[in-house]
């Protein structure tokens, strides 16, 4: 039997630990800060210096590295494509996910199976997905061409990755496919929080399907759409494997986005200083977008 | 009557979903069919192999160092998930139960840290890992994954915890339970769904992560699955696609099973977590 | 695990000392993964070396695509291995930062004399030996004898004009048969173009130190390649074919001609031994110029290695005759050591002897810091040209690329 006094003392101590929020957040904060702030500081430091390709700091150069990035026509091209890439995937996945989530929210035979299938892309690493698709899009041996030929859509092979006009849309399509599971999960969560009697009531009042969707479902989904936009934008903006594995940003840089441009700058061309400056720029860009979007979304909600 | 209505709805639901399902299953078909082709047929544009060459899976296992990579992935993903949760649960508890100075700042820190992707930080991260003396150790990857998982975990858990009424814990205190007992017996069981979802997220992110592992891990003994499989196609003078696809297929099975199993928790947990 | 504990003890110590200190007696070797045989080869060699000397060698097998990135990050954090394989064209990047240990006094004369002098030369800078060639290849043209016979092409094309004719005849054999395999994607897209550039009398860097892409020879060579594409005698969509893809076409017997390294012969022997093919020189240009690309990879020792003696001993071991035979024959590289080159298995090999005969005309990548970026600019320019309509874009694209390269040249 434990001594009652010391046990009480222990409880006292435990309680004080439990009610001290700083103690509670400390482990999480320290770990996250170490792994995130320390590298951020180190990158910021590199970004304002002239640095050789092995990261040895030389002179302080202020914003010169940033100017180099802004003056690089490839940066502007990559920026433009990043905008298309992010918008295409985020919008595309939301447009597909809303109806699919509605179907999956209703009861039907095999719903469990359908949910599992549609969630599957989530279970594969993006790198592996991209490797499989790159192989499937191979102009000669790829099963995409042979499949489309078999069902009569194509009468000759397409070299999917030979030019941006086919490669980039396919990359966006793959991006949409892998973004859908997360988006649908969020929407399903939203839909399941809608009480059924709301629909019953609407139907009793004679509203048709479209009206129910517009007047009830969509407004209820709105906060969830906002979450999907913010989370997916962050994720897609930083997404690297799809483009890297399929085209490495080529041919002739025509599918380069900011992350692949960053990777080339830093690790292929050895321009660590410019790459660090670009890292900071990308972070600021994303931060600005997110803050702007959250603010707009909140204002709309209030209005 | 209602049965036939449900049957009808089932038919059109499946019809409506079929294009998406075809697109989702297509890569799996490519994987399994290529994996089963005899090596001499891999480059042919046929769908169905002339014979199912199951041996590919056996030769792949040896040729690709698969077992070791699988173990590394399991180790890294599991450990980083546990660490992230251990760090995130108390923080989320504090965020949902107390007002304190710096709370807003902490929240903002979490939000901002979500925006920093590993690839943007990789140069700095690598220097940190060297400083810690952890190069080529799977533990370096564990720490980084855990840290990147914390922000999301706290965010998810906190909003869920806020939905658990405080009265329940207080009732337990009154009945003589210590706060720790109340936490463990009353609070945590209620929070279980959210913890499962959070764990699943962290686990999957770790399981799938590419850039960090590529940078930190040096030897094949420490490679995780994505890196191991990538190394089979990157810059080799020849690529053995049937092995690559067999490896990819086997690598996806564990997560696919966990997914199928926990999928219903996922929706419920996210629903509560996301809105609040 | 030893990394963790010792790391904690010495947090304040410099990163370099840290990593090294954790593994005092061990040496670390970074090797590029050329094929699935590379890792097992070096691990076996390391095990045998350990059994003999007791020094443990940790082999770090890195995919070739990410090797340069890994070396850069390693060095930037002071965590480089003792020895590493590098592309010899990167040597200048490392040497100019004093990262590479001169080997003259470290390795024995016996080891140094094992190498074919021509392969040792690219690793000598300012009179110092900075690396040992570990892999060498040159490029030659592979031709499919059966396709040539079917199309009525009687002799192997000597120059590009003949090649265009022969390729047209072979392409006419069927929809899935292509005359000339033209690589237009990923690593060495630029090199595939240099073959033509050299045969048209051009050069990568001209005598006045500017980019050779700005010359008339460059335009002529590109126009010739573009002509092949537009005439439909190459595979369609060349910008999606990397080297491996074109080689696959050749192995399937669907391409009449392609230019690549000896390792394709090794792959053919293993995978499609019945393929009826031959190897010859790359076609000549209008004035009879020819050129092939010589590539060597070197193994270097980093200046900050604390185990130079052990590392040198490992080099001595792994460059032993039997290990080199296994490596060169497995990977399909040209022998870099004299004893292997004289080994009948190599000297009498009909394919390898063609490559060996081309070596005197082989050109190596210029030793210029930042060559990778220059190569990327050239590759992008070629891809733009291959994708463009007609010939009008060729000259402006090349001259724009030349301007960008000139800005990077010293």
């Amino acid at each position: 039997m434990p001594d009652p006094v010391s046990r009480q003392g222990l409880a006292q101590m435990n309680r004080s630990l439990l009610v001290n929020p700083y103690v509670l957040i400390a482990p999480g904060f320290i770990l996250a800060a170490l792994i995130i702030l320390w590298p951020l500081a180190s990158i910021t430091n590199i970004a304002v210096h002239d640095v050789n390709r092995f990261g040895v700091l030389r002179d302080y150069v202020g914003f010169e590295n940033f100017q180099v990035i802004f003056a690089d026509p490839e940066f502007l091209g990559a920026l433009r494509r990043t905008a298309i890439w992010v918008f295409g995937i985020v919008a595309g996945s939301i447009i597909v996910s809303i109806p699919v989530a509605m179907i999956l929210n209703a009861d039907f035979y095999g719903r469990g199976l359908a949910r599992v299938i549609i969630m599957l892309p989530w279970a594969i690493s993006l790198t592996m997905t991209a490797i499989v698709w790159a192989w499937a899009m191979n102009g000669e041996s790829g099963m995409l061409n042979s499949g489309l030929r078999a069902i009569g859509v194509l009468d000759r092979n397409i070299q999917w990755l030979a030019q941006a006009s086919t490669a980039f849309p396919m990359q966006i399509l793959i991006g949409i496919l892998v973004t859908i599971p997360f988006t649908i999960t969020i929407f399903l969560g939203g839909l399941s929080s809608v009480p059924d009697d709301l629909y019953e009531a609407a139907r009793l009042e004679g509203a048709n399907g479209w009206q129910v969707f517009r007047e009830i479902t969509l407004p209820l989904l709105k906060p969830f759409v906002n979450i999907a936009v913010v989370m997916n934008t962050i994720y897609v903006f930083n997404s690297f494997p799809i483009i890297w594995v399929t085209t490495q940003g080529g041919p002739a840089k025509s599918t380069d986005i900011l992350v692949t441009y960053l990777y080339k700058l830093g690790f292929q061309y050895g321009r660590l200083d410019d790459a660090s400056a670009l890292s900071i720029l990308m972070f600021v860009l994303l931060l600005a977008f997110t803050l702007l979007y959250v603010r707009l979304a909140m204002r709309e909600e209030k209005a | 009557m209602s049965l036939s209505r449900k049957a009808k709805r089932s038919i059109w639901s499946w019809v409506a979903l079929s294009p998406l399902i075809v697109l989702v299953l297509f890569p799996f078909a490519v994987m399994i069919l290529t994996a089963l082709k005899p090596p001499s047929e891999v480059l042919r544009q046929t769908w169905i192999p002339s014979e199912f060459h199951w041996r590919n899976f056996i030769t792949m296992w040896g040729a690709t160092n698969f077992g070791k990579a699988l173990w590394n992935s399991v180790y890294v993903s599991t450990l980083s998930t546990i660490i992230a949760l251990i760090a995130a649960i108390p923080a989320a508890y504090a965020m949902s139960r107390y007002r304190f100075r710096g709370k807003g700042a902490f929240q903002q820190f979490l939000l901002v840290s979500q925006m920093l992707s590993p690839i943007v930080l990789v140069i700095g991260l690598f220097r940190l890992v060297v400083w810690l003396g952890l190069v080529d150790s799977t533990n370096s990857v564990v720490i980084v994954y855990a840290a990147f998982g914390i922000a999301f975990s706290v965010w998810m858990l906190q909003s869920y915890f806020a939905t658990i009424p405080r009265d329940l814990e207080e009732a337990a205190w009154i009945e003589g339970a210590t706060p720790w007992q109340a936490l463990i017996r009353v609070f945590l069981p209620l929070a279980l769904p959210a913890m499962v979802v959070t764990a699943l997220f962290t686990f999957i992110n770790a399981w799938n992560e590419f850039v960090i592992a590529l940078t930190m891990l040096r030897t094949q003994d420490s490679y995780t699955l994505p890196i191991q499989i990538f190394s089979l196609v990157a810059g080799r003078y020849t690529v053995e696609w049937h092995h690559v696809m067999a490896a990819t297929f086997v690598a996806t099975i564990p997560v696919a099973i966990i997914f199928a199993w926990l999928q219903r928790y996922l929706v419920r947990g996210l629903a509560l977590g996301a809105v609040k | 695990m030893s990394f963790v504990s010792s790391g904690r003890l010495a947090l304040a110590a410099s990163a370099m000392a840290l990593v090294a200190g954790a593994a005092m007696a061990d040496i670390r070797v970074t090797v590029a993964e050329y094929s699935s045989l590379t890792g097992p080869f070096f691990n076996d060699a390391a095990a045998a070396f350990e059994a003999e000397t007791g020094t443990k060698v940790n082999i770090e097998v890195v995919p070739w695509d990410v090797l340069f990135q890994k070396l850069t990050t390693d060095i930037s954090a002071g965590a480089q291995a003792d020895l590493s394989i590098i592309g010899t064209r990167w040597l200048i990047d490392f040497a100019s930062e004093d990262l590479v240990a001169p080997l003259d006094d470290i390795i024995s004369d016996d080891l140094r004399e094992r190498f074919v002098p021509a392969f040792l030369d690219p690793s000598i800078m300012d009179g110092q030996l900075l690396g040992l060639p570990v892999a060498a290849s040159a490029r030659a043209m592979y031709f499919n004898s059966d396709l040539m016979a079917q199309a009525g092409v009687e002799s192997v094309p000597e120059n590009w004009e003949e090649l265009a004719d022969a390729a047209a005849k072979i392409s006419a054999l069927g929809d899935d048969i292509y005359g000339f395999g033209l690589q237009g994607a990923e690593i060495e897209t630029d090199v595939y173009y240099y073959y033509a550039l050299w045969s048209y009398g051009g050069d990568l860097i001209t005598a006045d130190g500017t980019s050779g892409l700005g010359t008339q020879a460059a335009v002529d060579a590109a126009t010739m390649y573009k002509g092949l594409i537009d005439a439909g005698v190459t595979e369609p969509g060349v910008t999606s074919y990397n080297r491996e893809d074109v080689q696959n076409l050749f192995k399937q017997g669907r391409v009449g001609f392609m230019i690549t390294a000896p390792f394709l012969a090794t792959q053919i022997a293993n995978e499609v031994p019945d393929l009826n093919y031959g190897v010859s020189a790359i076609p000549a240009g209008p004035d009879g110029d020819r050129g092939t690309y010589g590539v060597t990879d070197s193994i270097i020792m980093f200046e900050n290695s604390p185990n130079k003696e052990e590392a040198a001993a490992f080099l001595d071991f792994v460059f032993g005759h039997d290990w080199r035979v296994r490596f060169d024959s497995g990977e399909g590289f040209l022998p870099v050591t004299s004893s292997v080159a004289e080994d009948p298995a190599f000297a009498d090999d009909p394919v390898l002897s063609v490559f060996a005969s081309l070596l005197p005309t082989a050109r190596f990548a210029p030793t210029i810091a930042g060559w990778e970026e220059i190569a990327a600019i050239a590759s992008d320019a070629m891809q733009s040209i291959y994708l463009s309509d007609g010939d009008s874009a060729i000259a402006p694209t090349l001259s724009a690329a030349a301007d960008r390269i000139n800005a990077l040249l010293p």
Side-chain angles (χ1 to χ4, degrees):
Chain A
M1 281 299 281
D3 173 25
V5 179
S6 77
R7 198 179 143 180
Q8 206 180 359
L10 202 67
Q12 207 83 44
M13 199 181 79
N14 280 342
R15 170 170 294 171
S16 71
L17 268 182
L18 260 191
V19 296
N20 186 336
Y22 297 107
V23 174
L24 291 175
I25 65 167
F29 176 75
I30 291 169
L31 185 56
L34 176 73
I35 300 297
I36 290 163
L37 295 184
W38 198 96
L40 188 63
S42 126
I43 284 176
T44 313
N45 192 30
I46 297 176
V48 293
H49 282 84
D50 181 21
V51 171
N52 79 357
R53 68 163 54 228
F54 306 112
V56 178
L57 265 55
R58 293 194 282 232
D59 302 334
Y60 174 82
V61 294
F63 286 97
E64 214 170 86
N65 295 324
F66 291 88
Q67 285 163 358
V68 170
I69 294 291
F70 280 123
D72 188 346
E74 277 161 25
F75 166 71
L76 293 175
L79 184 65
R80 191 173 51 83
R81 277 186 294 274
T82 305
I84 300 171
W85 165 254
V86 171
F87 180 81
I89 293 177
V90 172
S93 62
I94 286 173
I95 290 167
V96 176
S97 295
I98 290 179
V100 172
M102 287 171 67
I103 294 174
L104 291 179
N105 191 46
D107 187 29
F108 64 91
Y109 291 117
R111 181 175 72 162
L113 179 67
R115 280 191 178 188
V116 169
I117 293 175
I118 287 170
M119 297 298 169
L120 270 185
W122 214 352
I124 326 181
S125 118
L126 214 48
T127 316
M128 297 189 206
T129 308
I131 289 173
V132 174
W133 274 97
W135 171 237
M137 286 191 286
N138 185 297
E140 287 302 327
S141 318
M143 290 166 71
L144 183 60
N145 274 337
S146 51
L148 290 176
R149 274 163 70 156
I151 58 172
V153 176
L154 290 181
D155 55 0
R156 46 171 308 192
N157 286 342
I158 291 185
Q159 307 295 330
W160 295 97
L161 302 176
Q163 55 279 316
S165 59
T166 49
F168 203 45
M170 286 305 288
Q171 289 164 335
I172 290 179
L173 176 77
I174 301 167
I176 291 176
L177 276 180
V178 299
T179 312
I180 281 176
F182 175 74
T183 318
I184 284 186
T185 307
I186 289 191
F187 289 171
L188 276 178
L191 288 170
S192 67
S193 67
V194 179
D196 282 343
D197 37 342
L198 211 58
Y199 286 115
E200 292 290 318
R203 222 162 271 131
L204 283 178
E205 280 177 29
N208 64 26
W210 174 246
Q211 284 168 326
V212 172
F213 175 74
R214 261 200 49 189
E215 303 298 329
I216 300 177
T217 313
L218 209 53
L220 279 165
L221 271 185
K222 207 162 196 179
F224 297 90
V225 172
N226 285 334
I227 289 165
V229 168
V230 172
M231 301 281 291
N232 284 342
T233 300
I234 293 173
Y235 199 67
V236 174
F237 184 88
N238 289 319
S239 175
F240 174 75
I242 296 177
I243 290 190
W244 191 255
V245 171
T246 51
T247 62
Q248 302 195 345
K253 297 213 162 52
S254 54
T255 57
D256 244 347
I257 58 171
L258 287 176
V259 276
T260 55
Y261 172 62
L262 169 72
Y263 186 87
K264 287 182 191 176
L265 216 53
F267 296 124
Q268 290 197 330
Y269 307 158
R271 284 157 54 182
L272 285 182
D273 42 5
D274 297 339
S276 298
L278 179 61
S279 293
I280 304 286
L281 270 178
M282 287 168 63
F283 171 55
V284 170
L285 210 64
L286 199 54
L287 193 66
F289 168 84
T290 314
L291 291 181
L292 195 73
Y293 187 89
V294 169
R295 180 149 302 177
L296 286 179
M298 276 167 67
R299 183 182 299 165
E300 208 173 279
E301 234 162 75
K302 271 183 203 146
Chain B
M1 244 357 244
S2 77
L3 194 80
S4 85
R5 218 174 95 193
K6 187 177 169 187
K8 228 158 76 187
R9 191 164 61 206
S10 302
I11 292 171
W12 79 253
S13 294
W14 278 99
V15 169
L17 293 177
S18 58
L20 184 60
I21 287 177
V22 168
L23 276 175
V24 167
L25 292 183
F26 172 72
F28 285 89
V30 171
M31 263 187 248
I32 186 75
L33 289 173
T34 310
L36 288 174
K37 280 182 179 174
S40 60
E41 276 174 42
V42 168
L43 295 174
R44 275 190 225 146
Q45 257 199 343
T46 49
W47 269 63
I48 307 297
S50 64
E51 50 149 337
F52 291 108
H53 207 74
W54 295 100
R55 271 188 56 79
N56 283 348
F57 282 94
I58 298 165
T59 52
M60 171 281 285
W61 197 278
T64 61
N65 195 22
F66 193 88
K68 185 75 190 167
L70 179 66
W71 161 247
N72 285 337
S73 269
V74 170
Y75 172 82
V76 162
S77 310
T78 310
L79 199 59
S80 61
T81 304
I82 291 172
I83 295 176
L85 278 188
I86 288 177
I89 288 172
Y93 185 80
M95 299 288 281
S96 67
R97 287 292 185 263
Y98 304 111
R99 286 172 179 281
F100 55 94
R101 250 155 76 102
K103 181 175 171 179
F106 184 60
Q107 206 149 22
Q108 244 145 35
F109 166 74
L110 291 178
L111 184 74
V112 169
S113 69
Q114 287 242 290
M115 268 168 244
L116 283 161
S117 82
I119 189 167
V120 172
L121 286 183
V122 74
I123 299 168
L125 278 171
F126 185 73
R127 297 185 155 209
L128 176 69
V129 165
V130 171
W131 187 68
L132 292 173
L134 284 172
V135 175
D136 195 37
S137 158
T138 41
N139 292 330
S140 66
V141 180
V142 168
I143 294 176
V144 175
Y145 291 172
F148 274 94
I150 284 175
F152 182 80
S153 302
V154 173
W155 181 68
M156 281 281 303
L157 291 171
Q158 169 203 350
S159 36
Y160 191 91
F161 287 179
T163 66
I164 299 174
R166 206 183 254 263
D167 313 353
L168 292 176
E169 287 152 83
E170 279 163 8
W173 294 350
I174 292 166
E175 281 167 27
T178 66
W180 279 110
Q181 285 168 334
L183 187 75
I184 290 162
R185 294 209 194 121
V186 179
F187 182 82
L188 289 184
L190 283 170
L192 193 65
M195 293 195 297
V196 171
V197 179
T198 311
L200 191 56
F201 263 98
T202 319
F203 185 89
I204 287 171
N205 282 341
W207 183 265
N208 291 345
E209 202 283 333
F210 178 63
V211 178
I212 293 294
L214 185 66
T215 316
M216 308 296 170
L217 303 177
R218 320 271 93 191
T219 53
Q220 288 212 319
D221 279 347
S222 59
Y223 276 3
T224 55
L225 278 174
I227 305 305
Q228 183 60 38
I229 291 176
F230 178 73
S231 77
L232 297 176
V233 299
R236 285 271 191 96
Y237 287 167
T238 175
V239 178
E240 280 132 8
W241 283 106
H242 51 290
H243 283 165
V244 174
M245 292 296 141
T248 315
F249 189 78
V250 179
T252 56
I253 300 291
V255 193
I257 291 172
I258 300 177
F259 238 88
W261 177 39
L262 291 175
Q263 178 255 129
R264 93 191 56 230
Y265 276 107
L266 200 66
V267 172
R268 240 196 306 159
L270 255 190
L272 278 158
V275 259
K276 302 288 151 47
Chain C
M1 286 316 278
S2 68
F3 277 95
V4 187
S5 48
S6 56
R8 240 186 255 129
L9 284 174
L11 269 185
S14 83
M16 229 154 36
L18 215 163
V19 173
M24 204 48 207
D26 301 359
I27 54 175
R28 290 168 57 219
V29 183
T30 304
V31 303
E33 185 168 40
Y34 299 108
S35 75
S36 52
L37 299 175
T38 320
F41 169 82
F42 279 102
N43 282 316
D44 289 353
F49 181 71
E50 187 181 353
E52 202 178 290
T53 63
T55 307
K56 187 162 167 39
V57 181
N58 293 310
I59 302 291
E60 306 179 351
V61 184
V62 178
W64 179 258
D65 270 15
V66 294
L67 177 60
F68 195 69
Q69 180 224 320
K70 279 219 163 155
L71 290 174
T72 330
T73 24
D74 276 7
I75 294 168
S76 74
Q80 61 266 46
D82 298 284
L83 296 168
S84 177
I85 290 183
I86 63 163
T88 308
R89 59 189 177 281
W90 306 336
L91 189 54
I92 178 101
D93 290 312
F94 297 111
S96 60
E97 303 291 340
D98 293 327
L99 292 161
V100 186
L103 296 174
D104 304 84
D105 299 331
I106 297 174
I107 62 166
S108 65
D109 288 348
D110 163 55
L111 174 56
R112 186 174 183 145
E113 279 156 17
R114 281 180 226 166
F115 292 93
V116 177
F119 287 127
L120 212 49
D121 287 345
S123 310
I124 297 176
M125 282 175 190
D126 296 331
Q128 288 180 315
L129 178 66
L130 297 179
L132 298 176
V134 68
S137 82
R139 304 297 153 80
M141 185 170 76
Y142 286 69
F143 54 86
N144 183 316
S145 314
D146 288 342
L147 287 180
M148 282 172 58
Q150 280 175 46
V153 179
E154 274 158 18
S155 61
V156 180
E158 267 293 302
N159 55 44
W160 287 108
E161 216 171 304
E162 288 176 29
L163 181 115
D165 279 349
K169 286 182 188 153
I170 289 173
S171 288
L173 290 174
D175 282 349
D176 287 344
I177 312 267
Y178 316 117
F180 182 66
L182 180 55
Q183 180 199 337
E186 297 179 26
I187 183 171
E188 291 200 359
T189 298
D190 56 328
V191 173
Y192 218 88
Y193 162 71
Y194 300 152
Y195 304 137
L197 176 65
W198 286 319
S199 58
Y200 274 75
D203 229 324
L204 302 187
I205 308 291
T206 59
D208 61 1
T210 58
S211 166
L213 295 187
T215 60
Q216 185 58 36
V219 176
D220 293 344
T223 310
M224 188 273 293
Y225 264 10
K226 186 75 166 75
L228 295 176
I229 294 171
D230 291 345
V233 305
T234 66
E235 78 279 8
V238 294
T239 43
S240 65
Y241 284 82
N242 61 25
R243 177 170 60 199
E244 198 235 336
D245 293 327
V246 184
Q247 289 181 171
N248 283 340
L249 285 178
F250 191 85
K251 286 188 234 171
Q252 290 174 287
R254 295 173 53 196
V255 139
F257 308 97
M258 82 164 295
I259 302 168
T260 188
F263 45 67
L264 177 59
T266 313
Q267 292 172 26
I268 291 173
N270 292 331
E271 296 167 33
V272 280
D274 296 337
L275 191 74
N276 195 1
Y277 75 102
V279 180
S280 74
I282 294 168
D287 300 328
D289 288 317
R290 282 180 200 271
T292 183
Y293 188 49
V295 195
T296 62
D297 291 342
S298 299
I299 190 157
I300 59 165
M301 191 183 297
F302 284 105
E303 182 63 61
N304 65 359
S305 160
N307 310 307
K308 292 202 175 71
E309 225 167 281
E310 291 86 346
F314 180 66
L315 286 178
D316 197 275
F317 183 81
V318 82
F319 279 105
H321 179 81
D322 293 345
W323 288 109
R324 287 311 297 174
V325 169
R326 174 175 160 192
F327 181 76
D328 288 334
S329 60
E331 306 286 0
F333 287 126
L334 297 177
V336 291
T337 49
S338 312
S339 70
V340 178
E342 287 154 14
D343 193 299
F346 291 87
D348 300 345
D349 184 291
V351 172
L352 287 180
S353 53
V354 173
F355 281 98
S357 73
L358 295 175
L359 277 175
T361 60
R363 322 203 191 187
F364 294 83
T367 43
I368 291 170
W371 181 253
E372 294 298 303
E373 187 170 4
I374 293 173
I377 293 171
S379 290
D380 286 342
M382 292 327 295
Q383 289 187 323
S384 307
I385 289 170
Y386 298 157
L387 285 168
S388 64
D389 278 328
D391 288 350
S392 55
I394 293 176
T397 308
L398 284 172
S399 87
D403 288 346
R404 293 191 51 199
I405 292 173
N406 288 336
L408 293 169
L409 289 174

